[in-house]
Amino acid sequence: MHTSNPVLDPEHVDPPANSAFPPIPSLTEPSTFNQPKTDHRTLRRDEFWRDVPAYEKATSAEFGDHKWQQRHTVTSVKQLRETLGSRVTEAFFEDLEAGIAHAPMALRISPYLLALIDWSAPMADPIRTQFLPLRSQQQADHPMLRFDSLNEREDSPVAGLTHRYPDKALFLPQPSCPVYCRFCTRSYAVGNDTDVIEKMKLPATAARWEEAFAYIASQPQLEDIVISGGDTYNLSAGHIETIGRRLLGMPNIRRIRFATKGLCVLPQKILTDNAWLDALTGVVELGRKLHKDVVVHTHFNHANEITGFTADALGRMTERGIHVRCQTVLQHGVNDSIDAMTLLVRRLSFINVHPYYVYVHDMVPGVEDLRTPLHVAQKLERHVRGATAGFNTPSFVLDAPGGGGKRDVHTADVYDRETGISVFTAPSVKAGRKFLFFDPISSLGSDWQRRWTQPAERRAMIDDALARADA
Ligand SMILES: *Cc1c(COP(=O)(O)O)cnc(C)c1O
Ligand code: SF4
């Protein structure tokens, strides 16, 4: 299974498995982290997991099986210690324990992702950065940050259904995921309670789903439903069929999208959970018969997350005519360099995943160290556009805090790089309102950083930005 597709066999395209990854020439900026540089076509097919003490003896059949992956999912520091043993220092585990105590998301990571972390240099590793919070790297939240920064609960006519845009809505059928990302925008609802947050409860009950279906059917202008995180991977085959058939059966609904992080964290499921993939394929085929559009939306943030397993999984989906788009989150130290973002976009395109969006990191609690200033997104967009096919070029957007929806990063009405304040408007979503976004304080000059510590100065900086937006 693992090397079954000759087109994607490394022998046919690039150096054989286990060879050193060849460096690619740097674009215009030196890379900011010390990952091995890989050409976008060079996908790992070595037995990389054998470097992790607990997986040393796992065969490729075991490591390639989704049930084995699920059984070995790590959800506590104790388990992580047992898995990694002496591969990392005691100081690292202590840093992690303290980080988790201050984090909005519980710990949950698949063996596959864990084994892709470079454990000889975990501090700077882009996968470690996304899933394992370290106290030594956390920063104070921005003073303007609010819980549920996107205001999803305010735009929810039914618990777990966000209807913000005229013709599309977001349905959260259940609250769990195959992993928990540190930076989850829905940390208010997704995952287990943590020391920091008691979650809103969105259980997968028939009553709540029926309420959501009834609402969707009652809104003739709704055409497009996103079935989102919690994760489609955590819905059973039967649930996928129920949701798919119910939605496609409504005359107003023309498009549905199943959102899953799964392709990134557990591509093995696509290769070995046939009942699940058949259910998804069935809904896609039903959509085709009804002349409706059913696609999968996924979430990769770094080229290291894409391996031979991913290519094989996407190969299987392509054979079945399942289209996949990717929504990436821009993160400091993960993908905020030109090299990293360009490589990710090319590698996604290579395995038939269409890069759709790159989101500026939302203002969510506990992850200030991952946020980037708006100008970084603007710069990356200029460099990525033109690097490959236009239909594989993502839109760089900011989901405006307060419920303004997604706005192109180049369309701020005002952007003051000194205060880090930008002002957006969203005439088709919430006409007449202004939406503010704030660059991380640590990205500002020291004089401006000091001004942000004073409430009166804050107010003056914000009033000034709003007045300029009116001018
Ligand atoms: C992102 C989002 C959608 C889908 O928006 P697209 O730009 O079409 O991908 C729908 N509803 C809500 C609330 C969203 O946040
Ligand atoms: S997979 Fe998506 S919904 Fe789940 S924790 Fe990660 S970002 Fe949040």
Side-chain angles (χ1 to χ4, degrees), residues 152 162 164-165 168-170 226 257 356-357 359 399 406:
E152 290 192 335
T162 303
R164 165 171 306 149
Y165 300 95
K168 58 194 179 188
L170 187 69
V226 184
R257 339 175 190 174
Y356 173 38
Y357 278 139
Y359 290 98
D399 214 339
K406 300 163 186 79

Side-chain angles (χ1 to χ4, degrees), residues 48-49 55 58-75 79 108-116 178-179 233 262 264-270 272 309:
F48 55 88
W49 59 88
Y55 312 148
T59 63
S60 45
E62 283 170 332
F63 201 80
D65 178 33
H66 76 282
K67 290 208 184 104
W68 187 96
Q69 289 285 331
Q70 280 163 350
R71 262 202 313 279
H72 292 84
T73 290
V74 168
T75 57
Q79 271 176 303
R108 187 176 186 91
I109 184 166
S110 61
Y112 169 72
L113 279 184
L114 206 58
L116 284 172
V179 285
Y233 253 41
C264 169
V265 308
L266 221 121
Q268 290 86 349
K269 187 176 172 84
I270 302 295
T272 57
F309 286 110

Side-chain angles (χ1 to χ4, degrees), residues 105 131 175-187 190-191 228-231 260-262 265 299 329:
M105 294 299 286
F131 296 96
S176 71
C177 300
V179 285
Y180 290 131
C181 314
R182 274 181 69 193
F183 49 86
C184 183
T185 293
R186 302 208 178 91
S187 58
V190 168
S228 185
D231 196 291
T260 178
K261 176 92 186 155
V265 308
H299 176 183
V329 180

